[in-house]
């Protein structure tokens, strides 16, 4: 029987030892990831914002970041991410 690949290949990539890339990587503005979608998973939001999934989940549990549950998935609307970030900026 064929062995299934890891469930989250991206996460396994992040936990592997860091290697210097062969080519220069250009930084990408966080807003570019949000240009086409209006709803994001916890993983996608964390990646786009450069935060951990734990931070995003903590904000959701604490009522700071509004989300919806669709089946077993947590979905965060773009407008709620923007509102959360604006609120964070005004408190710092």
């Amino acid at each position: 029987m064929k062995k299934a690949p890891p469930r989250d290949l991206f996460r396994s990539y992040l936990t592997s030892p860091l290697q210097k890339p062969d080519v220069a990587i250009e930084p990408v503005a966080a807003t570019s990831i949000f240009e086409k979608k209006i709803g994001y998973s916890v993983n996608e939001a964390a990646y786009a914002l450069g935060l951990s999934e734990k931070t995003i989940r903590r904000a959701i549990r604490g009522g700071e970041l509004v989300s919806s549950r669709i089946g077993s998935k947590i979905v965060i609307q773009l407008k709620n991410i923007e509102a959360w970030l604006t609120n964070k900026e005004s408190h710092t």
Side-chain angles (χ1 to χ4, degrees):
M1 185 181 230
K2 203 174 191 182
K3 187 175 179 182
R7 217 177 130 183
D8 189 349
L9 293 173
F10 181 75
R11 183 174 296 167
S12 63
Y13 171 76
L14 287 180
T15 58
S16 66
L18 295 177
Q19 297 177 355
K20 188 174 180 180
D22 294 336
V23 295
I25 298 174
E26 294 293 320
V28 177
T31 54
S32 67
I33 238 170
F34 291 123
E35 289 177 354
K36 296 179 182 166
K37 294 179 74 172
I38 60 168
Y40 302 89
S41 69
V42 171
N43 186 9
E44 290 170 330
Y47 176 75
L49 297 171
L51 301 171
S52 69
E53 287 184 44
K54 187 175 182 178
T55 300
I56 299 297
R57 291 181 191 282
R58 191 180 308 124
I60 292 169
R61 257 193 320 276
E64 298 175 34
L65 180 56
V66 179
S67 66
S68 302
R69 186 172 289 276
I70 300 175
S72 63
K73 287 275 193 183
I74 296 174
V75 178
I76 309 163
Q77 291 182 10
L78 174 59
K79 66 180 182 178
N80 295 333
I81 294 171
E82 291 171 338
W84 182 59
L85 290 174
T86 302
N87 189 31
K88 285 289 187 191
E89 286 178 1
S90 64
H91 283 85
T92 57

